Amino acid sequence: MTFQWTAVALFLYGEIGVILIFCIPFISPSRWKKIFRFQLWSKISSYWNKAFLSIIVVLIILFLDAVREVRKYSMSPTPDKSAKLYANSYDHLHMKLFRAQRNLYISGFSLFLWLILRRVTNLIVQLAIEIESCDALKSQVEKNNEAAKKYMEDNEHLRKVLDSSKVSDNEQKIKNENEKLKSEIERGKEELQQMTNALSKSQAEVLALKKQSEGLTREYDRLIKEHELLQGIWV
């Protein structure tokens, strides 16, 4: 194998190894993004697109060269196997065809995996960005939920305060009504006492008048008897 195809084969093995590393499950996309943001990568990033396109161009050239070699040795006339003179030529031709096909597969898979590697890298970075956005949205939603919960608790507290203030107002009104009723009851008691006193006084006056009437009646009866007695004497 020549130097250029050895380099392509090593490049292919390196691509396979990098893709296998990308497939490791316990390395998250966010960690890969942090790795891609290292200072070394930031220095190389300005040359990355140029290097990517250059490698694609080289691999395409090698792939076309391998296709040309395969077509060349596939279309070569096959020597007669019965001729002993061309026995080594037949084996040599198939060996070159095998090498051309091998180079075709190596360059083709290298080109294919290089494109896949670029796509996988971009997808990992996009996935890491989406994960960070989801985490940010999740934290924002949690903060909003906490704020909403706090507002609900504040509203509940204010409602209780308003209800208590309303209750206190009602209690004050009830207290005023009670005081008013108490004052009316006291005034009624005083009026009742005055009426009781007046009734007792009236009853005492009635008794005095009754006694006076009884005394007058007895005096009247006595006078009548004296009058009758006097009339009997004069007759």
Side-chain angles (χ1 to χ4, degrees):
M1 185 182 290
T2 59
F3 175 77
Q4 61 180 6
W5 293 111
T6 302
V8 174
L10 293 175
F11 184 75
L12 175 62
Y13 300 151
E15 288 176 330
I16 294 172
V18 172
I19 291 175
L20 290 176
I21 293 173
F22 282 158
C23 294
I24 295 175
F26 56 84
I27 302 178
S28 62
S30 300
R31 187 170 297 178
W32 279 119
K33 186 180 178 182
K34 292 179 181 179
I35 294 173
F36 294 154
R37 286 181 176 178
F38 282 168
Q39 188 175 2
L40 177 63
W41 295 111
S42 62
K43 293 180 181 179
I44 300 176
S45 61
S46 58
Y47 305 101
W48 170 248
N49 291 326
K50 294 180 181 179
F52 177 77
L53 294 175
S54 300
I55 292 173
I56 285 181
V57 170
V58 172
L59 291 176
I60 289 174
I61 292 173
L62 292 175
F63 179 76
L64 294 177
D65 182 66
V67 171
R68 183 185 62 81
E69 290 290 328
V70 170
R71 292 185 62 185
K72 174 182 175 182
Y73 293 113
S74 296
M75 297 175 64
S76 296
T78 304
D80 190 5
K81 294 182 182 180
S82 60
K84 295 181 180 180
L85 183 63
Y86 296 101
N88 293 330
S89 299
Y90 181 80
D91 294 336
H92 184 70
L93 179 63
H94 278 272
M95 181 184 67
K96 288 186 176 181
L97 179 60
F98 171 76
R99 289 179 179 177
Q101 291 174 348
R102 180 201 61 191
N103 295 334
L104 176 66
Y105 295 145
I106 291 175
S107 59
F109 280 112
S110 297
L111 178 61
F112 176 73
L113 290 180
W114 184 242
L115 296 174
I116 292 296
L117 190 61
R118 175 66 179 270
R119 182 60 176 169
V120 169
T121 305
N122 292 332
L123 290 176
I124 288 174
V125 174
Q126 292 178 4
L127 182 59
I129 293 172
E130 293 297 329
I131 290 174
E132 291 179 355
S133 300
C134 290
D135 292 337
L137 289 174
K138 186 178 179 180
S139 61
Q140 185 176 0
V141 168
E142 290 178 353
K143 290 180 180 178
N144 292 332
N145 290 331
E146 291 178 357
K149 186 177 180 181
K150 185 177 179 181
Y151 292 151
M152 291 177 67
E153 290 177 354
D154 293 339
N155 290 331
E156 185 68 20
H157 180 68
L158 290 174
R159 188 180 65 81
K160 289 180 179 180
V161 170
L162 292 174
D163 291 339
S164 62
S165 63
K166 290 180 180 178
V167 170
S168 61
D169 293 338
N170 293 329
E171 289 178 353
Q172 186 66 32
K173 291 180 180 178
I174 293 171
K175 187 176 180 180
N176 294 331
E177 291 293 333
N178 291 332
E179 293 293 334
K180 186 176 180 181
L181 289 174
K182 286 180 180 180
S183 61
E184 290 180 356
I185 290 171
E186 292 294 332
R187 187 170 62 251
K189 286 181 178 181
E190 292 177 358
E191 292 178 356
L192 181 60
Q193 186 66 32
Q194 291 177 0
M195 291 178 66
T196 303
N197 294 331
L199 181 60
S200 298
K201 186 177 180 180
S202 298
Q203 288 178 355
E205 291 177 354
V206 168
L207 289 174
L209 290 174
K210 186 177 180 181
K211 289 180 180 181
Q212 187 178 0
S213 177
E214 289 177 353
L216 290 174
T217 301
R218 287 193 299 271
E219 186 66 24
Y220 178 74
D221 291 338
R222 187 180 64 80
L223 292 174
I224 289 176
K225 289 179 180 180
E226 289 180 356
H227 180 68
E228 289 177 354
L229 183 61
L230 290 173
Q231 284 182 352
I233 294 173
W234 289 100
V235 174

